[in-house]
Amino acid sequence: MLGTPHKDVQYLMASTCHPKMWDILDGHNVKLWHIYNNEDNKEVPLYYPRGDLIVTGGNNVGLRMMPIARLLGYRNMDIFGMDYSFPKEGHHH
C-alpha cells in the first residue's frame, strides 16, 4: 500500500509494521513509534526502550492518528466519516 517512498517525506512508522515495510523504507526518514495497547503500566518499561515514543489510541488508524497528530502539534482537528462501515462483508482497504 505504500508504493515508492519519497526522500523528502518523513514516515511515521509503528513498530508493529510488517518487516517488508522496513525494507522498503531503508535509507529514508523514518520515525518509530510503539502502540500502547492497555499493557499493565508496571510492564511498559519491559516492552519498550526508554525514550521511545509510545502512543495510545483506538484499534484503527483513524483513532490512533488523533494522538499522533496531537504529538506533532496539531490542536484543531475536524474528523469526517470515520465510522469504518463497509458496504459489503469482507470489503476493506
Coordinates of all heavy atoms in Angstrom, one line a residue:
M1 N 0.8 -1.2 0.0 CA 0.0 0.0 0.0 C 0.9 1.3 0.0 O 0.4 2.3 -0.3 CB -0.9 0.0 1.2 CG -2.0 -1.0 1.1 SD -3.1 -1.2 2.5 CE -3.3 0.4 3.1
L2 N 2.1 1.2 0.3 CA 3.0 2.3 0.4 C 3.4 2.9 -1.0 O 3.4 4.1 -1.2 CB 4.2 2.0 1.2 CG 5.3 3.2 1.3 CD1 4.7 4.3 2.0 CD2 6.5 2.7 2.0
G3 N 3.7 2.0 -1.9 CA 4.2 2.5 -3.2 C 5.7 2.8 -3.1 O 6.4 2.3 -2.2
T4 N 6.1 3.7 -4.0 CA 7.5 4.0 -4.0 C 7.7 5.2 -3.0 O 7.1 6.2 -3.1 CB 8.0 4.5 -5.4 OG1 7.7 3.5 -6.3 CG2 9.5 4.8 -5.4
P5 N 8.6 5.0 -2.0 CA 8.8 6.1 -1.0 C 9.6 7.2 -1.6 O 10.3 7.1 -2.6 CB 9.7 5.4 0.1 CG 10.2 4.2 -0.5 CD 9.4 3.8 -1.7
H6 N 9.4 8.4 -1.0 CA 10.0 9.6 -1.5 C 11.0 10.1 -0.4 O 10.7 10.1 0.8 CB 8.9 10.7 -1.7 CG 9.4 11.9 -2.5 ND1 10.1 12.9 -1.9 CD2 9.2 12.2 -3.8 CE1 10.4 13.8 -2.8 NE2 9.8 13.4 -4.0
K7 N 12.1 10.6 -0.9 CA 13.2 11.0 0.0 C 12.8 12.2 0.9 O 13.4 12.4 2.0 CB 14.5 11.3 -0.8 CG 15.1 10.1 -1.3 CD 15.8 9.3 -0.3 CE 16.6 8.2 -0.9 NZ 17.1 7.3 0.1
D8 N 11.9 13.1 0.5 CA 11.5 14.3 1.2 C 10.4 14.0 2.2 O 9.9 15.0 2.8 CB 11.1 15.4 0.2 CG 12.3 15.8 -0.6 OD1 13.4 15.7 -0.2 OD2 12.0 16.3 -1.8
V9 N 9.9 12.8 2.4 CA 8.8 12.5 3.2 C 9.3 11.9 4.5 O 10.2 11.1 4.5 CB 7.8 11.5 2.6 CG1 6.7 11.1 3.6 CG2 7.2 12.2 1.4
Q10 N 8.8 12.4 5.7 CA 9.1 11.7 7.0 C 8.0 10.7 7.2 O 6.8 11.0 7.3 CB 9.1 12.7 8.1 CG 9.4 12.1 9.4 CD 9.3 13.1 10.5 OE1 8.3 13.6 10.9 NE2 10.5 13.5 11.1
Y11 N 8.4 9.4 7.4 CA 7.4 8.3 7.6 C 7.3 8.0 9.0 O 8.3 7.8 9.7 CB 7.9 7.1 6.8 CG 7.8 7.3 5.3 CD1 8.9 7.8 4.6 CD2 6.7 7.1 4.6 CE1 8.9 8.0 3.2 CE2 6.6 7.3 3.2 CZ 7.7 7.8 2.6 OH 7.6 8.0 1.2
L12 N 6.1 8.1 9.6 CA 5.8 7.8 11.0 C 5.4 6.3 11.0 O 4.3 6.0 10.7 CB 4.8 8.7 11.5 CG 5.0 10.2 11.4 CD1 3.8 11.0 11.7 CD2 6.2 10.6 12.2
M13 N 6.3 5.4 11.4 CA 6.0 4.0 11.3 C 5.9 3.4 12.7 O 6.8 3.6 13.6 CB 7.2 3.3 10.6 CG 7.4 3.9 9.2 SD 6.0 3.6 8.1 CE 6.0 1.8 8.0
A14 N 4.8 2.6 12.9 CA 4.7 1.9 14.1 C 5.6 0.7 14.1 O 5.9 0.1 13.1 CB 3.2 1.4 14.2
S15 N 6.1 0.3 15.3 CA 7.0 -0.8 15.4 C 6.3 -2.2 15.0 O 7.0 -3.2 14.8 CB 7.6 -0.9 16.8 OG 6.5 -1.0 17.8
T16 N 5.0 -2.2 14.9 CA 4.3 -3.4 14.5 C 4.1 -3.6 13.0 O 3.5 -4.5 12.6 CB 2.9 -3.4 15.2 OG1 2.2 -2.2 14.7 CG2 3.0 -3.4 16.7
C17 N 4.6 -2.6 12.2 CA 4.5 -2.8 10.8 C 5.2 -4.0 10.3 O 6.2 -4.5 10.9 CB 5.1 -1.5 10.1 SG 4.1 -0.1 10.3
H18 N 4.7 -4.5 9.2 CA 5.3 -5.7 8.6 C 6.8 -5.5 8.2 O 7.2 -4.4 7.8 CB 4.5 -6.1 7.3 CG 4.8 -7.4 6.8 ND1 5.9 -7.7 6.0 CD2 4.1 -8.6 6.9 CE1 5.9 -9.0 5.7 NE2 4.9 -9.5 6.2
P19 N 7.6 -6.5 8.4 CA 9.1 -6.3 8.1 C 9.4 -5.9 6.7 O 10.4 -5.2 6.4 CB 9.6 -7.8 8.3 CG 8.7 -8.4 9.3 CD 7.3 -7.8 9.0
K20 N 8.5 -6.2 5.7 CA 8.8 -5.7 4.3 C 8.7 -4.2 4.2 O 9.4 -3.6 3.4 CB 7.8 -6.3 3.4 CG 8.0 -7.8 3.1 CD 7.1 -8.4 2.1 CE 7.3 -9.9 1.9 NZ 6.4 -10.5 1.0
M21 N 7.9 -3.6 5.1 CA 7.8 -2.1 5.1 C 9.2 -1.5 5.5 O 9.6 -0.5 4.9 CB 6.7 -1.6 6.1 CG 5.3 -2.0 5.7 SD 4.8 -1.3 4.1 CE 4.7 0.4 4.5
W22 N 9.8 -2.1 6.4 CA 11.1 -1.6 6.8 C 12.2 -1.7 5.7 O 13.0 -0.9 5.5 CB 11.6 -2.3 8.1 CG 10.6 -2.1 9.2 CD1 9.7 -3.0 9.7 CD2 10.4 -0.9 9.9 NE1 9.0 -2.4 10.7 CE2 9.4 -1.1 10.9 CE3 11.0 0.4 9.9 CZ2 8.9 -0.2 11.7 CZ3 10.5 1.4 10.7 CH2 9.5 1.1 11.7
D23 N 12.1 -2.8 4.9 CA 13.0 -3.0 3.8 C 12.7 -1.9 2.8 O 13.7 -1.3 2.2 CB 12.8 -4.4 3.2 CG 13.2 -5.5 4.1 OD1 14.0 -5.3 5.0 OD2 12.7 -6.6 3.9
I24 N 11.5 -1.6 2.5 CA 11.1 -0.6 1.5 C 11.6 0.8 1.9 O 12.0 1.6 1.1 CB 9.6 -0.5 1.3 CG1 9.1 -1.8 0.6 CG2 9.1 0.7 0.5 CD1 7.6 -2.0 0.6
L25 N 11.5 1.1 3.3 CA 11.9 2.4 3.8 C 13.3 2.5 4.2 O 13.7 3.6 4.7 CB 11.0 2.8 4.9 CG 9.5 3.0 4.5 CD1 8.6 3.2 5.8 CD2 9.4 4.2 3.6
D26 N 14.1 1.5 4.0 CA 15.5 1.6 4.3 C 16.2 2.8 3.7 O 16.1 3.0 2.5 CB 16.2 0.3 3.9 CG 17.7 0.2 4.5 OD1 17.9 0.7 5.6 OD2 18.5 -0.3 3.7
G27 N 16.9 3.6 4.5 CA 17.6 4.8 3.9 C 16.7 6.0 3.9 O 17.2 7.1 3.4
H28 N 15.4 5.9 4.3 CA 14.5 7.1 4.2 C 14.4 7.6 5.6 O 14.8 7.1 6.6 CB 13.2 6.7 3.7 CG 13.2 6.4 2.2 ND1 13.7 5.2 1.7 CD2 12.8 7.2 1.2 CE1 13.6 5.3 0.4 NE2 13.1 6.5 0.0
N29 N 13.7 8.8 5.7 CA 13.5 9.5 7.0 C 12.3 8.8 7.8 O 11.2 9.0 7.5 CB 13.2 10.9 6.8 CG 13.1 11.7 8.0 OD1 13.3 11.3 9.1 ND2 12.7 13.0 7.9
V30 N 12.6 7.9 8.7 CA 11.6 7.1 9.4 C 11.7 7.5 10.9 O 12.8 7.5 11.5 CB 11.9 5.6 9.2 CG1 10.9 4.8 10.1 CG2 11.8 5.2 7.8
K31 N 10.5 7.8 11.5 CA 10.4 8.0 12.9 C 9.6 6.8 13.5 O 8.5 6.5 13.0 CB 9.7 9.3 13.2 CG 10.4 10.5 12.7 CD 11.7 10.7 13.4 CE 12.4 12.0 12.9 NZ 13.8 12.0 13.1
L32 N 10.1 6.2 14.5 CA 9.5 5.0 15.0 C 8.6 5.3 16.2 O 9.0 6.2 17.0 CB 10.6 4.0 15.5 CG 10.2 2.8 16.2 CD1 9.5 1.8 15.2 CD2 11.4 2.1 16.8
W33 N 7.5 4.7 16.3 CA 6.6 4.8 17.5 C 6.0 3.4 17.8 O 6.0 2.6 17.0 CB 5.5 5.9 17.3 CG 4.6 5.6 16.2 CD1 4.8 5.9 14.9 CD2 3.3 5.0 16.3 NE1 3.7 5.6 14.1 CE2 2.8 5.0 14.9 CE3 2.5 4.5 17.3 CZ2 1.5 4.4 14.7 CZ3 1.3 3.9 17.0 CH2 0.8 3.9 15.7
H34 N 5.6 3.3 19.1 CA 5.1 2.0 19.5 C 3.6 2.2 19.9 O 3.2 3.2 20.4 CB 5.8 1.5 20.7 CG 7.3 1.4 20.5 ND1 7.9 0.4 19.7 CD2 8.3 2.1 20.9 CE1 9.2 0.5 19.7 NE2 9.5 1.6 20.4
I35 N 2.8 1.1 19.7 CA 1.4 1.1 20.1 C 1.3 0.7 21.5 O 1.8 -0.3 22.0 CB 0.6 0.1 19.2 CG1 0.6 0.6 17.8 CG2 -0.8 -0.1 19.8 CD1 0.0 -0.4 16.8
Y36 N 0.7 1.6 22.3 CA 0.3 1.3 23.7 C -1.1 0.7 23.7 O -2.0 1.4 23.3 CB 0.4 2.5 24.6 CG 0.0 2.2 26.0 CD1 0.9 1.6 26.9 CD2 -1.3 2.5 26.5 CE1 0.5 1.3 28.2 CE2 -1.7 2.2 27.8 CZ -0.8 1.6 28.6 OH -1.2 1.3 29.9
N37 N -1.2 -0.5 24.0 CA -2.5 -1.2 23.9 C -3.0 -1.8 25.2 O -3.2 -3.0 25.3 CB -2.4 -2.3 22.8 CG -3.7 -2.7 22.2 OD1 -4.6 -1.8 22.1 ND2 -3.8 -3.9 21.8
N38 N -3.0 -0.9 26.2 CA -3.5 -1.3 27.6 C -2.7 -2.3 28.3 O -3.1 -3.1 29.1 CB -5.0 -1.9 27.5 CG -5.9 -0.8 26.9 OD1 -5.8 0.3 27.3 ND2 -6.8 -1.3 26.1
E39 N -1.4 -2.3 28.1 CA -0.5 -3.1 28.9 C -0.5 -2.6 30.3 O -0.7 -1.4 30.5 CB 1.0 -3.1 28.3 CG 1.1 -3.7 27.0 CD 0.9 -2.8 25.8 OE1 0.5 -1.6 26.1 OE2 1.1 -3.2 24.7
D40 N -0.2 -3.4 31.2 CA -0.1 -3.0 32.6 C 1.1 -2.0 32.7 O 2.2 -2.2 32.2 CB 0.3 -4.2 33.5 CG 0.4 -3.9 35.0 OD1 0.4 -2.7 35.3 OD2 0.4 -4.9 35.8
N41 N 0.8 -0.8 33.3 CA 1.8 0.2 33.4 C 3.1 -0.2 34.0 O 4.2 0.3 33.7 CB 1.2 1.4 34.2 CG 0.2 2.2 33.5 OD1 0.2 2.2 32.2 ND2 -0.6 2.9 34.2
K42 N 3.1 -1.2 34.9 CA 4.3 -1.7 35.5 C 5.1 -2.5 34.5 O 6.3 -2.6 34.7 CB 4.0 -2.6 36.7 CG 3.3 -1.9 37.9 CD 2.9 -2.9 39.0 CE 2.1 -2.2 40.0 NZ 1.6 -3.1 41.0
E43 N 4.5 -3.0 33.5 CA 5.2 -3.8 32.5 C 5.7 -2.9 31.3 O 6.6 -3.4 30.5 CB 4.3 -4.8 31.9 CG 3.8 -5.8 33.0 CD 4.9 -6.6 33.5 OE1 5.7 -7.1 32.8 OE2 4.9 -6.9 34.8
V44 N 5.3 -1.7 31.1 CA 5.7 -0.9 30.0 C 7.2 -0.8 29.8 O 7.7 -0.9 28.7 CB 5.0 0.5 30.1 CG1 5.6 1.5 29.0 CG2 3.5 0.4 29.8
P45 N 8.0 -0.5 30.9 CA 9.4 -0.5 30.7 C 10.0 -1.8 30.2 O 11.1 -1.8 29.6 CB 10.0 -0.2 32.1 CG 8.8 0.4 32.8 CD 7.6 -0.2 32.3
L46 N 9.3 -2.9 30.4 CA 9.8 -4.2 29.9 C 9.5 -4.3 28.4 O 10.2 -5.1 27.7 CB 9.2 -5.3 30.6 CG 9.4 -5.3 32.1 CD1 8.7 -6.4 32.8 CD2 10.9 -5.4 32.5
Y47 N 8.5 -3.7 27.9 CA 8.1 -3.8 26.5 C 8.8 -2.8 25.5 O 9.1 -3.1 24.4 CB 6.6 -3.5 26.3 CG 5.7 -4.5 27.0 CD1 4.7 -4.1 27.8 CD2 5.9 -5.9 26.8 CE1 3.9 -5.1 28.4 CE2 5.1 -6.8 27.4 CZ 4.0 -6.4 28.2 OH 3.2 -7.3 28.8
Y48 N 9.1 -1.6 26.0 CA 9.5 -0.5 25.1 C 10.8 0.1 25.7 O 11.0 0.3 26.9 CB 8.5 0.6 25.0 CG 7.1 0.1 24.7 CD1 6.1 0.1 25.6 CD2 6.8 -0.4 23.4 CE1 4.8 -0.4 25.3 CE2 5.6 -0.8 23.1 CZ 4.6 -0.8 24.0 OH 3.4 -1.3 23.7
P49 N 11.8 0.4 24.8 CA 13.0 1.1 25.3 C 12.8 2.4 25.8 O 11.9 3.2 25.3 CB 13.9 1.1 24.0 CG 13.3 0.1 23.0 CD 11.8 0.1 23.4
R50 N 13.5 2.8 26.8 CA 13.4 4.1 27.4 C 13.6 5.2 26.4 O 14.5 5.2 25.6 CB 14.4 4.3 28.6 CG 14.3 5.6 29.3 CD 15.3 5.7 30.4 NE 15.1 4.8 31.5 CZ 14.2 5.0 32.5 NH1 13.5 6.0 32.5 NH2 14.0 4.0 33.4
G51 N 12.7 6.2 26.4 CA 12.8 7.3 25.5 C 12.1 7.2 24.2 O 11.9 8.1 23.4
D52 N 11.6 5.9 23.9 CA 10.9 5.7 22.7 C 9.5 6.3 22.8 O 8.9 6.4 23.9 CB 10.8 4.2 22.3 CG 12.0 3.7 21.6 OD1 13.0 4.4 21.6 OD2 11.9 2.6 21.1
L53 N 8.9 6.7 21.7 CA 7.5 7.2 21.6 C 6.5 6.1 21.7 O 6.5 5.2 20.9 CB 7.3 8.0 20.4 CG 6.0 8.8 20.2 CD1 5.8 9.8 21.3 CD2 6.0 9.5 18.8
I54 N 5.6 6.2 22.7 CA 4.5 5.2 22.9 C 3.2 6.0 22.8 O 3.0 7.0 23.4 CB 4.6 4.6 24.3 CG1 6.0 3.9 24.5 CG2 3.5 3.5 24.5 CD1 6.3 3.5 25.9
V55 N 2.3 5.5 21.9 CA 1.1 6.2 21.5 C -0.1 5.4 21.9 O -0.2 4.2 21.6 CB 1.1 6.5 20.0 CG1 -0.2 7.2 19.6 CG2 2.3 7.3 19.6
T56 N -1.0 6.1 22.6 CA -2.3 5.4 22.9 C -3.3 5.7 21.8 O -2.9 6.3 20.8 CB -2.9 6.1 24.2 OG1 -3.1 7.5 23.9 CG2 -2.0 6.0 25.4
G57 N -4.5 5.2 21.9 CA -5.5 5.4 20.9 C -6.3 4.1 20.7 O -6.2 3.2 21.5
G58 N -7.2 4.1 19.7 CA -8.1 3.0 19.5 C -7.4 1.9 18.6 O -6.2 1.8 18.5
N59 N -8.3 1.1 18.1 CA -7.8 -0.1 17.4 C -7.8 0.0 15.9 O -7.9 -0.9 15.2 CB -8.6 -1.3 17.8 CG -10.0 -1.2 17.5 OD1 -10.5 -0.2 17.1 ND2 -10.8 -2.3 17.7
N60 N -7.9 1.3 15.4 CA -7.8 1.5 13.9 C -7.0 2.7 13.7 O -6.6 3.5 14.6 CB -9.2 1.6 13.3 CG -10.0 2.7 14.0 OD1 -9.6 3.9 14.0 ND2 -11.2 2.4 14.5
V61 N -6.6 2.9 12.4 CA -5.7 4.0 12.0 C -6.3 5.4 12.3 O -5.6 6.3 12.7 CB -5.3 3.9 10.6 CG1 -6.5 4.1 9.6 CG2 -4.1 4.8 10.2
G62 N -7.6 5.6 12.2 CA -8.2 6.8 12.5 C -8.1 7.3 13.9 O -7.7 8.4 14.3
L63 N -8.4 6.3 14.8 CA -8.4 6.6 16.3 C -6.9 6.8 16.7 O -6.6 7.6 17.7 CB -9.1 5.6 17.1 CG -10.6 5.5 16.9 CD1 -11.2 4.3 17.6 CD2 -11.3 6.8 17.3
R64 N -6.0 6.1 16.1 CA -4.6 6.2 16.5 C -4.0 7.4 15.9 O -3.0 8.0 16.5 CB -3.9 4.9 16.0 CG -2.5 4.7 16.6 CD -2.6 4.3 18.1 NE -3.2 3.1 18.3 CZ -3.1 2.4 19.4 NH1 -2.2 2.8 20.4 NH2 -3.8 1.3 19.6
M65 N -4.5 7.9 14.8 CA -4.0 9.1 14.2 C -4.2 10.4 15.0 O -3.3 11.2 15.0 CB -4.7 9.3 12.8 CG -4.6 10.6 12.1 SD -5.6 12.0 12.6 CE -7.3 11.3 12.7
M66 N -5.3 10.4 15.8 CA -5.5 11.6 16.6 C -4.5 11.9 17.6 O -4.0 13.1 17.7 CB -6.9 11.6 17.2 CG -8.0 11.7 16.1 SD -9.7 11.8 16.7 CE -10.0 10.1 16.9
P67 N -4.0 11.0 18.5 CA -2.9 11.3 19.4 C -1.6 11.6 18.7 O -0.8 12.4 19.1 CB -2.8 10.1 20.3 CG -3.9 9.1 19.9 CD -4.6 9.6 18.7
I68 N -1.4 10.9 17.5 CA -0.2 11.2 16.8 C -0.2 12.6 16.3 O 0.8 13.4 16.4 CB 0.0 10.2 15.7 CG1 0.4 8.8 16.2 CG2 1.2 10.6 14.7 CD1 0.4 7.7 15.2
A69 N -1.3 13.0 15.7 CA -1.4 14.4 15.2 C -1.2 15.4 16.4 O -0.5 16.4 16.2 CB -2.8 14.6 14.6
R70 N -1.7 15.1 17.6 CA -1.5 16.0 18.7 C -0.1 16.1 19.1 O 0.4 17.2 19.4 CB -2.4 15.4 19.9 CG -2.2 16.2 21.2 CD -3.0 17.5 21.0 NE -3.1 18.2 22.3 CZ -2.4 19.3 22.6 NH1 -1.5 19.8 21.8 NH2 -2.5 19.8 23.8
L71 N 0.6 14.9 19.1 CA 2.1 15.0 19.4 C 2.9 15.8 18.3 O 3.9 16.3 18.7 CB 2.6 13.5 19.4 CG 2.2 12.7 20.6 CD1 2.5 11.2 20.4 CD2 2.8 13.2 21.9
L72 N 2.3 15.8 17.1 CA 3.0 16.6 16.1 C 2.7 18.1 16.1 O 3.1 18.9 15.3 CB 2.6 16.1 14.7 CG 3.2 14.7 14.4 CD1 2.6 14.2 13.1 CD2 4.7 14.7 14.3
G73 N 1.8 18.5 17.1 CA 1.5 19.9 17.3 C 0.1 20.3 16.8 O -0.3 21.5 16.9
Y74 N -0.6 19.4 16.1 CA -2.0 19.8 15.6 C -2.9 19.8 16.8 O -3.1 18.9 17.6 CB -2.4 18.8 14.6 CG -1.6 18.9 13.3 CD1 -0.5 18.0 13.2 CD2 -1.8 19.8 12.3 CE1 0.3 18.0 12.1 CE2 -1.0 19.9 11.2 CZ 0.0 19.0 11.1 OH 0.8 19.0 10.0
R75 N -3.7 20.9 16.9 CA -4.6 21.1 18.1 C -6.0 21.1 17.7 O -6.9 20.8 18.4 CB -4.3 22.4 18.8 CG -2.8 22.6 19.2 CD -2.5 21.8 20.4 NE -1.2 22.1 21.0 CZ 0.0 21.5 20.6 NH1 0.0 20.7 19.6 NH2 1.1 21.8 21.2
N76 N -6.3 21.6 16.5 CA -7.7 21.7 16.0 C -7.9 20.7 14.9 O -7.4 20.9 13.8 CB -7.9 23.1 15.5 CG -9.3 23.4 15.1 OD1 -10.2 22.6 15.4 ND2 -9.6 24.5 14.5
M77 N -8.7 19.6 15.1 CA -8.9 18.6 14.2 C -10.4 18.5 13.9 O -11.2 18.4 14.8 CB -8.4 17.3 14.7 CG -6.9 17.2 14.8 SD -6.3 15.6 15.4 CE -5.9 16.1 17.1
D78 N -10.7 18.4 12.6 CA -12.1 18.1 12.2 C -12.1 16.7 11.5 O -11.4 16.6 10.5 CB -12.6 19.2 11.2 CG -12.7 20.5 11.9 OD1 -13.3 20.6 12.9 OD2 -12.2 21.5 11.3
I79 N -12.8 15.8 12.1 CA -12.8 14.4 11.5 C -14.2 14.2 10.9 O -15.2 14.3 11.5 CB -12.6 13.4 12.7 CG1 -11.4 13.8 13.5 CG2 -12.4 12.0 12.1 CD1 -10.0 13.8 12.8
F80 N -14.2 13.7 9.7 CA -15.4 13.4 8.9 C -15.4 12.0 8.4 O -14.4 11.5 7.9 CB -15.5 14.4 7.7 CG -15.6 15.8 8.1 CD1 -14.4 16.6 8.1 CD2 -16.8 16.4 8.5 CE1 -14.5 17.9 8.4 CE2 -16.8 17.7 8.8 CZ -15.7 18.5 8.8
G81 N -16.5 11.3 8.6 CA -16.7 10.0 8.0 C -15.8 8.9 8.5 O -15.4 8.0 7.8
M82 N -15.4 8.9 9.8 CA -14.5 7.9 10.3 C -15.3 6.9 11.1 O -15.2 6.7 12.3 CB -13.4 8.5 11.2 CG -12.3 7.6 11.6 SD -11.0 8.4 12.5 CE -11.8 8.8 14.0
D83 N -16.2 6.2 10.4 CA -17.1 5.2 11.2 C -16.7 3.7 10.8 O -17.2 2.8 11.4 CB -18.5 5.4 10.9 CG -18.9 5.2 9.4 OD1 -18.0 4.9 8.6 OD2 -20.1 5.3 9.1
Y84 N -15.8 3.5 9.9 CA -15.4 2.2 9.5 C -16.5 1.2 9.1 O -16.5 0.1 9.5 CB -14.5 1.6 10.6 CG -13.2 2.4 10.6 CD1 -13.0 3.5 11.4 CD2 -12.1 2.0 9.8 CE1 -11.9 4.2 11.4 CE2 -10.9 2.7 9.8 CZ -10.8 3.8 10.6 OH -9.7 4.5 10.6
S85 N -17.5 1.8 8.5 CA -18.6 1.0 7.9 C -18.2 0.6 6.5 O -17.8 1.5 5.7 CB -19.9 1.7 7.9 OG -20.3 2.0 9.3
F86 N -18.5 -0.6 6.1 CA -18.2 -1.1 4.8 C -19.5 -1.6 4.1 O -20.3 -2.3 4.8 CB -17.1 -2.2 4.8 CG -15.8 -1.7 5.3 CD1 -15.4 -2.0 6.6 CD2 -15.0 -0.8 4.6 CE1 -14.2 -1.5 7.2 CE2 -13.8 -0.4 5.1 CZ -13.4 -0.7 6.4
P87 N -19.7 -1.4 2.8 CA -20.9 -1.7 2.2 C -21.2 -3.2 2.1 O -22.3 -3.7 2.1 CB -20.8 -1.1 0.8 CG -19.3 -1.0 0.5 CD -18.7 -0.7 1.9
K88 N -20.1 -4.0 2.0 CA -20.3 -5.5 1.9 C -19.3 -6.2 2.9 O -18.2 -5.7 3.1 CB -20.0 -6.0 0.5 CG -21.0 -5.4 -0.5 CD -20.6 -6.0 -1.9 CE -21.5 -5.4 -2.9 NZ -21.2 -5.8 -4.3
E89 N -19.8 -7.3 3.4 CA -18.9 -8.0 4.4 C -17.6 -8.4 3.7 O -17.6 -8.9 2.6 CB -19.7 -9.3 4.8 CG -18.9 -10.1 5.9 CD -18.8 -9.4 7.2 OE1 -19.7 -8.6 7.5 OE2 -17.8 -9.6 7.9
G90 N -16.5 -8.2 4.4 CA -15.2 -8.6 3.8 C -14.5 -7.6 2.9 O -13.4 -7.8 2.4
H91 N -15.2 -6.5 2.7 CA -14.6 -5.4 1.8 C -14.0 -4.3 2.7 O -14.6 -3.8 3.5 CB -15.7 -4.8 0.9 CG -16.1 -5.7 -0.2 ND1 -16.9 -6.8 -0.1 CD2 -15.7 -5.6 -1.5 CE1 -17.1 -7.3 -1.2 NE2 -16.4 -6.7 -2.1
H92 N -12.7 -4.1 2.4 CA -12.0 -3.1 3.2 C -10.8 -2.7 2.4 O -10.6 -3.3 1.3 CB -11.6 -3.5 4.6 CG -10.9 -4.8 4.7 ND1 -9.6 -4.9 4.5 CD2 -11.4 -6.1 4.9 CE1 -9.2 -6.2 4.6 NE2 -10.3 -6.9 4.8
H93 N -10.0 -1.8 2.9 CA -8.8 -1.4 2.1 C -7.8 -2.6 2.0 O -7.0 -2.6 1.1 CB -8.1 -0.2 2.8 CG -7.3 -0.6 4.0 ND1 -7.9 -0.8 5.2 CD2 -6.0 -0.8 4.2 CE1 -7.0 -1.1 6.1 NE2 -5.8 -1.1 5.5

